[in-house]
Amino acid sequence: MDSITKIKTENLELFYGEVQALKNINLDIKEKEVTALIGPSGCGKSTFLKTINRMNDLIVGCKINGKVIFDDIDIYGQDIDIITLRKKIGMVFQKPNPFKMSIYDNIAYGPRIHGVKKKSSLDEIVEKSLRKAFIWDEVKDRLKTNALSLSGGQQQRLCIARALAVDPEVVLMDEPTSALDPISTLKIEDLISELKKNYTIIIVTHNMQQGARISDRTAFFLSGEVIEYDLTDTIFTNPKNPKTEEYITGRFG
Amino acid sequence: MKKKLDKLAELLFITSAIICVLALLLIMIFIFYKGAPSILETGVFKFLFGVEWQPRAEVFGILPMITASVLVTIGAILIGAPVGVLTATFIVYLAPKRIGNILKTATDVLASIPSVIYGFFGLMIIIPFIDRFLAGGAGGNSILAAIIILSIMILPTVISISESSMREVDISYRDASLALGATKISTIFKVMIPSAFSGIMAAVILGVGRALGEAMAVILVSGNAPFMPDSILAPVRTMSANIALEMGYASGAHQEALFGTGVVLFVFIFIINFIFYIVKHKGGVKN
Amino acid sequence: MSTKVKDTILSLLVYLSSFLTICSLVAILGYILWNGLGALNFNFFMELAPSIITTLLVIFVSILISVPIGICAAIYLHEYAKNKRVVELINFAIDSLAGIPSILYGLFGLVFFVITMKLNWSILAGSLTLGIMILPTIIRVTQESLKMVPDSFREGSFALGASKVTTLLKIIIPAAIRGIITAVILSIGRIVGETAAVFLTVGTVDKVPDGVMSSGRTLSVHFYLLVKEAIGPDAFNQAFGTATLLIIIVLMIVLFTQFLFRGRND
Ligand SMILES: Nc1ncnc2c1ncn2[C@@H]1O[C@H](COP(=O)(O)OP(=O)(O)OP(=O)(O)O)[C@@H](O)[C@H]1O
Ligand SMILES: [Mg+2]
């Protein structure tokens, strides 16, 4: 494969106080691909995801060593503007969390904080983002209603649209479908496959089939380490490490 | 036997709960029963909009008191509500844990200081200050003095209820906003506080009730003149103060007119309670 | 305006407000204690004895009246009530009672307990009035502490065949006792600081009461009268002393309730 590397971690380590949650992670995340992170609960998938947009900065006592290189720049280096970084790297959470405001305002929130004021530009961004998230037709007639009145699956697509509205290059998703019903889950999976044409996507999933269905590459995490990282097909059909095989087959069987 | 005891106990419990309802009814009935005749005798319009209060001549108009109550309440809210909400914001989102705890204790202490002591402080410190620097020696007993004291007195109510409603906001809102590249402060003011809006409204409404009802602290600082105020430095008498000042010695028609004042105050308070009840239940706020 | 400027202004406002809150408290406490601590001596307490005794009596009788009713009402609301309408009505009544200002409690106590029930200005009339006034606090705080008792306690007891009353007395109330004590202490604080409702019902007579039917003057009322009618430095000295005493009492109450809560959180 000769795709371009979008994000590269070098000897990444993370400590929560005394506890080491990530150990020596070296990953190459490729541009415009879907990378899935799998592994048992507590192995550090969410933690890893959050190092990429520096959400761990919020946690008191969290220490990070090593590098996360995004477009040739170390995001933990000096002179990094976190706001620009987070604008470029969007995030979607496990539980849909639309703000307690209208559908329109949810989407316009990001552009507004980044300085877009003109009504016509906002209208345009809102429509474009909702369309990209495959939810425009469902909500176009009620943009002013409260976002919390949407169903869970719609809320999650709204959150994806909200993330897309600030024009990110990468979208991080932490178990985005684990709180949703199967039909909503399928819709989101379709959406992800569509989005990878334009975005680099990293997704944490507990659902093995989901990982196999939608991702190009898969990283298997175990107690803070990456045990194996390869093309998804390889990982699922011909894993090199016995632990990976154990986990995958255990999950299937 | 056991069954019977259970039934008996349940009866005891429900009776106790019903006592609350009965107490409220009793309070309403007796205040209205003693106060309504006076209002009707004077004439509703004349009582509410009369500007003269002369008990000895049996002239009872309480517009000056209503005006005073409304003005000091509005003033106290204009200062106390923003200061209280912003203090709660600090406690919940910005303060290191220890400092937040200190502020919470401070709030509890503010809430428990007797109102007469607030009045005394106003009398000794705020009134001389106003007299000297703002009124040019014309006396410091004024609307302004009452506003300052009341805005401090409503702080604990506003702070503690805003604080608890801010804490109920889903913390993942914060993460979502930060992940979009918002700063901490915009996240707080554009997402977190608006999400706690109904709880904050409830806090402010309770503050209104507290300011409107306060008597003793206000008596000590407001000058108690039953006239229409012409400036923020004018002495005034609120409805609560009117009752507390004269009830001790009033009798006959005078006493009834004081109960009439009580009726009007009660109606104000009841409207506020009702709004609070609606906001609280609509917004699902815990008190 | 750039985000940075806006953020700076908003944070300044937040810090300024918190600072104002702290300053108000420090100014009031500092002023009273600074001027009043010196006044606390044996003589002062002797002169204040009637008010102290009256205050203690009013507290005692109010609590005696209100706490059983409050706890029972809270138990009803939390452990029994099923009918939504009834609960709503009771909750509305409690919220309304909590919102009624003390001067209106005073008016009510005067016309109902003092005049209609012919209790005259007396500790009993005042305590009945205050008893109603503190009911909402007792009920709400007790309810909160009942909420903290895990359902497994109830189920465990029922599973052993215990009746509802036994479960309440042996399991639930003991588990909620900290909250109930907190409710009582908070109410004591409210009574100690109350003036408007008290002077219209207990009266202002400055003597040692000889029973619950006797009139009297609580500390707060005494303080109010001193300040309102103060002539000469002597009265102000007494006023500062009394204020200091009141402040010390409420400070102790706040610290004690915090201690109780801390104990629970551990
Ligand atoms: N804020 C924190 N403070 C301290 N330890 C933490 C914190 N967050 C996570 N951890 C610990 O770090 C380890 C990795 O957690 P993480 O949430 O990244 O796991 P995960 O792989 O996402 O698990 P799951 O599949 O359950 O979401 C766990 O042992 C967890 O207990
Ligand atoms: Mg996780």
Coordinates of all heavy atoms in Angstrom, one line a residue, chain B residues 2 6 9-10 13-14 16 20 26-27 30 34 83 86-87 90 105-106 108 112 114 116 118 120 123-125 183 185 213 216 219 244 247 266 269 273 277 280, chain C residues 7 14-15 17-18 21 25 31 69 72 76 80 88 95-96 99 101 103-104 108 110-112 139 161 164-165 168 195 199 223-224 227-228 236 240 250 254 258:
Chain B
K2 N -49.7 -7.4 62.6 CA -48.7 -6.7 61.9 C -49.3 -5.8 60.8 O -48.9 -4.6 60.6 CB -47.8 -7.7 61.2 CG -46.4 -7.9 61.8 CD -45.6 -8.8 61.0 CE -44.2 -9.0 61.6 NZ -43.4 -10.0 60.8
D6 N -49.1 -1.7 60.3 CA -48.7 -1.1 59.1 C -49.6 -0.1 58.6 O -49.3 1.0 58.2 CB -48.5 -2.2 58.0 CG -47.1 -2.7 57.9 OD1 -46.3 -2.3 58.8 OD2 -46.7 -3.5 57.0
A9 N -49.5 3.0 60.8 CA -48.4 3.8 60.6 C -48.6 4.6 59.3 O -48.3 5.8 59.2 CB -47.1 2.9 60.4
E10 N -49.1 4.0 58.3 CA -49.3 4.7 57.0 C -50.2 5.9 57.2 O -50.0 6.9 56.7 CB -49.9 3.7 55.9 CG -50.0 4.4 54.6 CD -50.3 3.4 53.5 OE1 -50.2 2.2 53.7 OE2 -50.5 3.9 52.3
F13 N -48.3 8.7 58.7 CA -47.4 9.3 57.7 C -48.2 10.2 56.8 O -47.8 11.4 56.5 CB -46.6 8.3 56.9 CG -45.7 7.4 57.7 CD1 -45.6 6.1 57.5 CD2 -45.0 8.0 58.7 CE1 -44.8 5.3 58.2 CE2 -44.2 7.2 59.5 CZ -44.1 5.9 59.3
I14 N -49.3 9.7 56.3 CA -50.1 10.5 55.3 C -50.7 11.7 56.0 O -50.7 12.8 55.5 CB -51.2 9.7 54.6 CG1 -51.7 10.6 53.4 CG2 -52.3 9.3 55.5 CD1 -52.4 9.8 52.4
S16 N -49.3 13.4 58.4 CA -48.3 14.4 58.5 C -48.1 15.1 57.2 O -47.9 16.3 57.2 CB -46.9 13.7 58.9 OG -47.1 13.0 60.1
C20 N -49.0 19.6 55.9 CA -48.4 20.6 55.1 C -49.4 21.4 54.3 O -49.4 22.6 54.2 CB -47.3 20.1 54.2 SG -46.0 19.2 55.0
L26 N -54.5 27.1 55.9 CA -54.7 27.9 57.1 C -54.1 29.3 56.9 O -54.7 30.3 57.2 CB -54.2 27.2 58.3 CG -55.1 26.4 59.2 CD1 -54.4 26.0 60.4 CD2 -56.3 27.2 59.5
I27 N -52.8 29.3 56.5 CA -52.1 30.5 56.4 C -52.8 31.4 55.4 O -53.1 32.6 55.7 CB -50.7 30.3 56.0 CG1 -49.9 29.6 57.1 CG2 -50.0 31.6 55.6 CD1 -48.5 29.1 56.7
F30 N -56.4 32.6 56.8 CA -56.4 33.6 57.9 C -55.8 34.9 57.4 O -56.4 35.9 57.9 CB -55.6 33.0 59.1 CG -56.6 32.3 60.0 CD1 -56.9 31.0 59.8 CD2 -57.2 33.0 61.1 CE1 -57.8 30.3 60.6 CE2 -58.1 32.3 61.9 CZ -58.4 31.0 61.7
K34 N -58.4 38.1 57.4 CA -58.1 39.3 58.2 C -57.8 40.5 57.3 O -58.1 41.7 57.7 CB -56.9 39.1 59.1 CG -57.2 38.4 60.4 CD -58.1 39.2 61.4 CE -57.2 40.1 62.2 NZ -58.0 40.8 63.3
V83 N -24.0 38.2 39.9 CA -22.8 37.9 40.8 C -23.0 36.4 41.3 O -22.0 35.7 41.3 CB -22.7 38.9 42.0 CG1 -21.7 38.4 43.0 CG2 -22.4 40.2 41.5
L86 N -22.4 33.9 38.4 CA -21.0 33.8 38.0 C -20.1 33.2 39.1 O -19.2 32.4 38.8 CB -20.4 35.2 37.7 CG -21.0 35.8 36.4 CD1 -20.6 37.3 36.3 CD2 -20.6 35.0 35.2
T87 N -20.5 33.4 40.4 CA -19.8 32.7 41.4 C -20.0 31.2 41.3 O -19.1 30.4 41.5 CB -20.3 33.2 42.8 OG1 -20.1 34.6 42.9 CG2 -19.5 32.6 43.9
F90 N -17.8 29.8 38.7 CA -16.5 29.7 39.2 C -16.4 28.4 40.0 O -15.4 27.6 39.8 CB -16.1 30.9 40.1 CG -14.7 30.8 40.6 CD1 -13.6 30.9 39.8 CD2 -14.5 30.6 42.0 CE1 -12.3 30.8 40.3 CE2 -13.2 30.6 42.5 CZ -12.1 30.7 41.7
T105 N -18.5 26.7 51.4 CA -18.7 26.9 52.8 C -19.1 28.4 53.0 O -20.0 28.7 53.8 CB -17.4 26.6 53.6 OG1 -17.0 25.3 53.2 CG2 -17.6 26.7 55.1
A106 N -18.4 29.3 52.3 CA -18.7 30.7 52.5 C -20.2 30.9 52.1 O -20.9 31.7 52.8 CB -17.8 31.5 51.6
D108 N -22.6 28.8 52.4 CA -23.5 28.2 53.5 C -23.5 29.2 54.7 O -24.5 29.4 55.3 CB -22.9 26.9 54.0 CG -23.2 25.8 53.0 OD1 -24.0 26.0 52.0 OD2 -22.7 24.7 53.1
S112 N -26.7 31.4 56.4 CA -27.2 31.2 57.8 C -27.0 32.5 58.6 O -27.5 32.4 59.8 CB -26.5 30.0 58.4 OG -25.1 30.3 58.4
P114 N -28.1 35.6 60.4 CA -29.5 36.1 60.6 C -29.7 37.4 59.8 O -28.7 38.3 59.7 CB -29.5 36.4 62.1 CG -28.5 35.5 62.7 CD -27.4 35.3 61.6
V116 N -31.2 40.1 60.6 CA -31.0 41.3 61.3 C -29.5 41.7 61.3 O -29.2 42.9 61.4 CB -31.5 41.2 62.8 CG1 -32.9 41.6 62.9 CG2 -31.2 39.9 63.4
Y118 N -27.4 41.3 58.8 CA -27.2 42.0 57.6 C -27.7 43.4 57.7 O -27.0 44.4 57.2 CB -28.0 41.3 56.4 CG -27.4 40.1 55.9 CD1 -27.8 38.8 56.2 CD2 -26.3 40.2 55.0 CE1 -27.3 37.7 55.7 CE2 -25.7 39.1 54.5 CZ -26.2 37.8 54.8 OH -25.6 36.7 54.3
F120 N -28.0 45.2 60.4 CA -27.1 46.0 61.2 C -25.8 46.4 60.5 O -25.4 47.5 60.6 CB -26.7 45.0 62.4 CG -25.8 45.7 63.4 CD1 -26.1 46.8 64.1 CD2 -24.6 45.1 63.7 CE1 -25.3 47.4 65.1 CE2 -23.7 45.6 64.7 CZ -24.1 46.8 65.3
L123 N -26.6 49.2 58.3 CA -26.8 50.4 59.1 C -25.5 51.0 59.5 O -25.3 52.3 59.5 CB -27.6 50.0 60.4 CG -28.0 51.1 61.4 CD1 -29.1 51.9 60.8 CD2 -28.5 50.4 62.7
M124 N -24.5 50.2 59.9 CA -23.3 50.7 60.4 C -22.3 51.1 59.4 O -21.4 52.0 59.5 CB -22.6 49.7 61.4 CG -23.5 49.3 62.5 SD -24.0 50.6 63.6 CE -22.4 50.8 64.5
I125 N -22.3 50.4 58.2 CA -21.2 50.5 57.2 C -21.8 51.2 55.9 O -21.2 52.1 55.4 CB -20.6 49.2 56.9 CG1 -20.0 48.5 58.1 CG2 -19.5 49.3 55.8 CD1 -18.7 49.2 58.7
T183 N -13.0 27.2 23.1 CA -12.1 27.4 24.3 C -13.0 27.0 25.5 O -14.2 26.8 25.5 CB -11.8 28.8 24.5 OG1 -13.0 29.6 24.6 CG2 -11.0 29.3 23.3
I185 N -13.7 28.8 28.1 CA -14.7 29.8 28.5 C -15.9 29.8 27.6 O -17.0 29.8 28.0 CB -14.0 31.2 28.6 CG1 -12.9 31.2 29.6 CG2 -15.0 32.3 28.8 CD1 -13.4 31.3 31.0
G213 N -39.6 39.4 50.3 CA -40.2 39.1 51.6 C -39.4 39.6 52.8 O -39.9 39.7 53.9
M216 N -36.8 42.5 58.2 CA -36.0 43.1 59.3 C -34.7 43.8 58.7 O -34.4 44.9 59.2 CB -35.6 42.0 60.3 CG -36.7 41.2 60.8 SD -38.3 42.0 61.0 CE -38.0 42.7 62.7
I219 N -35.8 47.1 57.0 CA -36.2 48.1 58.0 C -35.0 48.9 58.5 O -35.1 50.1 58.6 CB -36.9 47.5 59.2 CG1 -38.3 47.0 58.8 CG2 -37.0 48.5 60.3 CD1 -39.1 46.3 59.9
A244 N -44.0 44.8 59.4 CA -43.2 44.5 60.6 C -43.1 45.8 61.5 O -43.0 45.7 62.7 CB -41.8 44.1 60.2
M247 N -47.1 46.5 63.0 CA -47.9 45.5 63.5 C -47.9 45.4 65.1 O -48.9 45.0 65.7 CB -47.5 44.1 63.0 CG -48.6 43.1 63.0 SD -50.0 43.6 62.0 CE -51.3 42.9 62.9
F266 N -48.6 38.6 49.9 CA -48.9 37.2 49.7 C -49.1 36.9 48.2 O -48.6 35.9 47.7 CB -50.0 36.7 50.5 CG -50.0 35.2 50.8 CD1 -49.6 34.7 52.0 CD2 -50.4 34.3 49.8 CE1 -49.6 33.4 52.2 CE2 -50.4 33.0 50.0 CZ -50.0 32.5 51.2
I269 N -45.9 37.0 46.3 CA -45.1 35.8 46.6 C -45.7 34.6 46.0 O -45.0 33.7 45.4 CB -45.0 35.6 48.2 CG1 -44.3 36.7 48.8 CG2 -44.4 34.2 48.5 CD1 -42.8 36.7 48.6
N273 N -43.9 32.0 43.6 CA -43.8 30.6 43.9 C -44.3 29.7 42.8 O -43.8 28.7 42.4 CB -44.6 30.2 45.2 CG -43.9 30.5 46.4 OD1 -42.7 30.9 46.4 ND2 -44.5 30.4 47.5
Y277 N -42.4 27.0 40.7 CA -42.9 25.6 40.6 C -42.9 25.1 39.2 O -42.5 24.0 38.8 CB -44.3 25.5 41.2 CG -44.8 24.1 41.5 CD1 -44.3 23.4 42.6 CD2 -45.7 23.5 40.6 CE1 -44.7 22.1 42.8 CE2 -46.1 22.2 40.8 CZ -45.6 21.5 41.9 OH -46.0 20.2 42.1
K280 N -39.4 24.9 37.8 CA -38.7 23.7 38.4 C -39.2 22.4 37.8 O -38.4 21.5 37.5 CB -39.0 23.8 39.9 CG -38.4 22.6 40.7 CD -38.6 22.8 42.1 CE -38.7 21.5 42.8 NZ -39.0 21.6 44.3
Chain C
D7 N -13.1 36.0 26.1 CA -12.8 35.0 27.1 C -12.2 35.7 28.3 O -12.5 35.4 29.5 CB -11.8 33.9 26.6 CG -12.5 32.9 25.8 OD1 -13.7 33.1 25.5 OD2 -11.9 31.9 25.4
V14 N -16.1 36.5 36.1 CA -16.3 35.4 37.0 C -15.4 35.5 38.3 O -15.9 35.4 39.4 CB -15.9 34.0 36.3 CG1 -15.8 32.9 37.3 CG2 -17.0 33.7 35.2
Y15 N -14.2 35.9 38.1 CA -13.3 36.0 39.2 C -13.8 37.2 40.1 O -13.8 37.1 41.3 CB -11.9 36.3 38.8 CG -11.2 35.1 38.1 CD1 -10.6 35.2 36.9 CD2 -11.3 33.8 38.8 CE1 -10.1 34.0 36.3 CE2 -10.7 32.7 38.2 CZ -10.1 32.8 36.9 OH -9.6 31.7 36.3
S17 N -16.8 38.3 40.5 CA -18.0 38.0 41.2 C -17.7 37.1 42.4 O -18.2 37.3 43.5 CB -19.0 37.2 40.3 OG -19.4 38.0 39.3
S18 N -16.8 36.1 42.2 CA -16.5 35.2 43.3 C -15.8 36.0 44.4 O -16.0 35.8 45.6 CB -15.5 34.1 42.8 OG -16.0 33.6 41.6
T21 N -18.3 37.9 46.4 CA -19.0 37.0 47.3 C -18.2 36.8 48.6 O -18.7 37.0 49.7 CB -19.3 35.7 46.6 OG1 -20.1 35.9 45.5 CG2 -20.1 34.7 47.6
L25 N -18.8 38.3 52.7 CA -18.8 37.5 53.9 C -17.7 37.9 54.8 O -18.0 38.1 56.0 CB -18.5 36.0 53.5 CG -18.5 35.1 54.7 CD1 -19.9 35.0 55.3 CD2 -18.0 33.7 54.3
Y31 N -16.3 42.5 60.5 CA -16.8 43.7 61.2 C -17.5 43.3 62.6 O -17.2 43.9 63.6 CB -17.8 44.4 60.3 CG -18.4 45.6 61.0 CD1 -17.6 46.8 61.2 CD2 -19.7 45.7 61.4 CE1 -18.2 47.9 61.8 CE2 -20.3 46.8 62.0 CZ -19.5 47.9 62.2 OH -20.0 49.0 62.8
I69 N -43.4 15.5 62.7 CA -44.3 15.7 61.5 C -43.5 15.7 60.3 O -43.8 15.0 59.3 CB -45.1 17.0 61.7 CG1 -46.0 17.0 62.9 CG2 -46.0 17.2 60.4 CD1 -46.7 18.2 63.2
C72 N -42.2 12.2 59.4 CA -43.3 11.3 58.9 C -43.7 11.7 57.5 O -44.0 10.9 56.6 CB -44.5 11.4 59.9 SG -44.2 10.6 61.4
Y76 N -43.6 9.5 54.2 CA -44.8 9.3 53.3 C -44.4 9.5 51.9 O -44.6 8.7 51.0 CB -46.0 10.1 53.7 CG -47.1 10.0 52.8 CD1 -47.9 8.8 52.8 CD2 -47.4 10.9 51.8 CE1 -48.9 8.6 51.9 CE2 -48.4 10.7 50.8 CZ -49.1 9.6 50.9 OH -50.1 9.4 50.0
Y80 N -44.0 5.8 50.7 CA -45.4 5.3 50.5 C -46.1 5.8 49.2 O -46.6 5.1 48.5 CB -46.3 5.7 51.7 CG -46.0 4.8 52.9 CD1 -45.0 5.1 53.8 CD2 -46.8 3.6 53.1 CE1 -44.8 4.3 54.9 CE2 -46.5 2.8 54.2 CZ -45.5 3.2 55.1 OH -45.3 2.3 56.2
E88 N -48.1 15.5 44.1 CA -47.9 16.8 43.5 C -48.5 17.9 44.4 O -47.8 18.9 44.6 CB -48.6 16.9 42.1 CG -47.7 17.3 41.0 CD -48.3 17.0 39.6 OE1 -49.4 17.4 39.4 OE2 -47.6 16.2 38.9
D95 N -43.3 23.4 48.8 CA -42.6 24.5 48.1 C -43.2 25.8 48.4 O -42.4 26.8 48.6 CB -42.6 24.2 46.5 CG -41.6 23.2 46.1 OD1 -40.8 22.8 47.0 OD2 -41.6 22.7 45.0
S96 N -44.5 25.9 48.5 CA -45.1 27.2 48.8 C -44.8 27.6 50.2 O -44.4 28.8 50.4 CB -46.6 27.1 48.6 OG -47.0 26.7 47.3
G99 N -41.5 29.1 50.4 CA -41.4 30.4 49.7 C -42.0 31.5 50.5 O -41.8 32.7 50.2
P101 N -42.5 34.3 53.0 CA -41.5 35.0 53.9 C -41.9 35.0 55.3 O -43.1 34.9 55.7 CB -41.5 36.5 53.3 CG -42.8 36.6 52.5 CD -43.2 35.2 52.1
I103 N -42.1 37.2 57.6 CA -43.0 38.2 58.1 C -44.5 37.8 57.9 O -45.3 38.0 58.8 CB -42.8 39.6 57.4 CG1 -43.7 40.7 58.0 CG2 -43.1 39.6 55.9 CD1 -43.4 41.1 59.4
L104 N -44.8 37.0 56.9 CA -46.1 36.5 56.7 C -46.4 35.4 57.7 O -47.5 35.2 58.2 CB -46.4 36.0 55.3 CG -46.5 37.2 54.2 CD1 -46.8 36.6 52.9 CD2 -47.6 38.2 54.6
F108 N -49.5 35.4 60.3 CA -50.4 34.3 60.5 C -50.3 33.8 61.9 O -51.4 33.6 62.5 CB -49.9 33.1 59.6 CG -50.6 31.8 59.9 CD1 -51.9 31.6 59.7 CD2 -49.8 30.8 60.5 CE1 -52.5 30.4 60.1 CE2 -50.4 29.6 60.9 CZ -51.7 29.4 60.6
L110 N -49.7 35.4 64.5 CA -50.3 36.4 65.4 C -51.9 36.2 65.3 O -52.5 36.1 66.3 CB -50.0 37.8 64.9 CG -50.6 39.0 65.6 CD1 -50.1 39.0 67.0 CD2 -50.3 40.3 64.9
V111 N -52.4 36.2 64.1 CA -53.9 36.1 64.0 C -54.4 34.7 64.4 O -55.4 34.6 65.0 CB -54.4 36.5 62.6 CG1 -53.8 35.7 61.6 CG2 -55.9 36.5 62.6
F112 N -53.6 33.7 64.1 CA -54.2 32.3 64.4 C -53.8 31.8 65.8 O -54.7 31.6 66.6 CB -53.6 31.3 63.3 CG -54.3 30.0 63.4 CD1 -55.6 29.8 63.1 CD2 -53.5 28.9 63.8 CE1 -56.2 28.5 63.3 CE2 -54.1 27.6 64.0 CZ -55.4 27.4 63.7
I139 N -38.5 18.4 55.9 CA -39.0 17.3 55.0 C -38.0 17.1 53.8 O -37.6 16.0 53.5 CB -40.4 17.8 54.4 CG1 -41.4 17.8 55.5 CG2 -40.8 16.8 53.3 CD1 -42.7 18.3 55.1
G161 N -39.1 -11.1 55.6 CA -40.4 -11.2 56.1 C -40.8 -10.1 57.1 O -41.8 -10.1 57.8
K164 N -43.5 -3.5 56.9 CA -43.0 -2.2 56.4 C -42.6 -1.3 57.6 O -41.5 -0.6 57.5 CB -44.1 -1.5 55.6 CG -43.5 -0.4 54.7 CD -44.4 -0.2 53.5 CE -43.6 0.8 52.6 NZ -44.3 1.1 51.3
V165 N -43.3 -1.3 58.6 CA -43.0 -0.5 59.8 C -41.7 -0.9 60.4 O -40.8 -0.1 60.7 CB -44.1 -0.6 60.8 CG1 -43.7 0.3 62.0 CG2 -45.4 -0.1 60.3
L168 N -38.9 0.2 58.3 CA -38.7 1.6 58.5 C -37.9 1.9 59.8 O -36.9 2.6 59.8 CB -40.0 2.4 58.6 CG -40.6 2.8 57.2 CD1 -42.0 3.3 57.5 CD2 -39.7 3.9 56.7
T195 N -36.3 36.6 63.2 CA -36.8 37.7 63.9 C -38.3 38.0 63.7 O -39.1 38.1 64.6 CB -36.0 39.0 63.6 OG1 -34.6 38.7 63.7 CG2 -36.3 40.1 64.6
F199 N -41.0 38.0 66.8 CA -41.5 39.0 67.7 C -43.0 39.3 67.6 O -43.6 39.8 68.5 CB -40.7 40.3 67.5 CG -41.1 41.2 66.4 CD1 -41.8 42.4 66.7 CD2 -40.9 40.9 65.1 CE1 -42.3 43.2 65.7 CE2 -41.3 41.8 64.1 CZ -42.0 42.9 64.4
F223 N -31.6 41.5 69.8 CA -30.6 42.3 69.0 C -31.3 43.3 68.1 O -30.9 44.5 68.1 CB -29.8 41.3 68.1 CG -28.9 41.9 67.1 CD1 -27.8 42.5 67.5 CD2 -29.2 41.9 65.7 CE1 -26.9 43.1 66.6 CE2 -28.4 42.5 64.8 CZ -27.2 43.1 65.3
Y224 N -32.4 42.9 67.5 CA -33.1 43.9 66.7 C -33.6 45.1 67.5 O -33.4 46.2 67.0 CB -34.4 43.2 66.1 CG -35.3 44.1 65.3 CD1 -34.9 44.7 64.2 CD2 -36.6 44.3 65.9 CE1 -35.8 45.6 63.5 CE2 -37.5 45.2 65.2 CZ -37.1 45.8 64.0 OH -37.9 46.6 63.4
V227 N -30.7 47.4 68.3 CA -30.2 48.1 67.2 C -31.2 49.2 66.8 O -30.9 50.3 66.5 CB -29.9 47.2 66.0 CG1 -29.6 48.0 64.8 CG2 -28.8 46.2 66.3
K228 N -32.5 48.8 66.8 CA -33.5 49.7 66.3 C -33.7 50.9 67.3 O -33.9 52.0 66.9 CB -34.9 48.9 66.2 CG -36.0 49.7 65.6 CD -36.2 49.3 64.2 CE -36.9 50.3 63.3 NZ -37.7 51.3 63.9
F236 N -24.9 49.8 71.9 CA -24.2 49.3 70.7 C -23.2 48.2 71.1 O -23.0 47.2 70.4 CB -23.5 50.4 70.0 CG -24.4 51.0 68.9 CD1 -24.9 52.2 69.1 CD2 -24.7 50.2 67.8 CE1 -25.8 52.7 68.1 CE2 -25.5 50.7 66.8 CZ -26.1 52.0 67.0
F240 N -23.2 44.6 69.5 CA -22.1 43.9 68.9 C -21.9 42.5 69.6 O -21.6 41.5 68.9 CB -20.8 44.7 69.0 CG -20.7 45.7 67.9 CD1 -20.6 47.0 68.1 CD2 -20.6 45.2 66.6 CE1 -20.5 47.9 67.1 CE2 -20.4 46.1 65.5 CZ -20.4 47.5 65.8
V250 N -24.3 30.4 64.5 CA -24.6 29.9 63.1 C -23.3 29.3 62.5 O -23.4 28.3 61.7 CB -25.2 30.9 62.2 CG1 -26.5 31.4 62.8 CG2 -24.3 32.1 62.0
V254 N -23.1 25.6 60.8 CA -22.6 25.3 59.4 C -21.5 24.3 59.5 O -21.5 23.3 58.7 CB -22.1 26.6 58.7 CG1 -21.4 26.3 57.4 CG2 -23.3 27.6 58.5
Q258 N -21.5 20.5 57.9 CA -20.5 20.1 56.9 C -19.7 18.9 57.4 O -19.5 18.0 56.6 CB -19.5 21.2 56.7 CG -20.1 22.4 56.1 CD -19.2 23.0 55.0 OE1 -18.0 23.0 55.1 NE2 -19.8 23.6 54.1

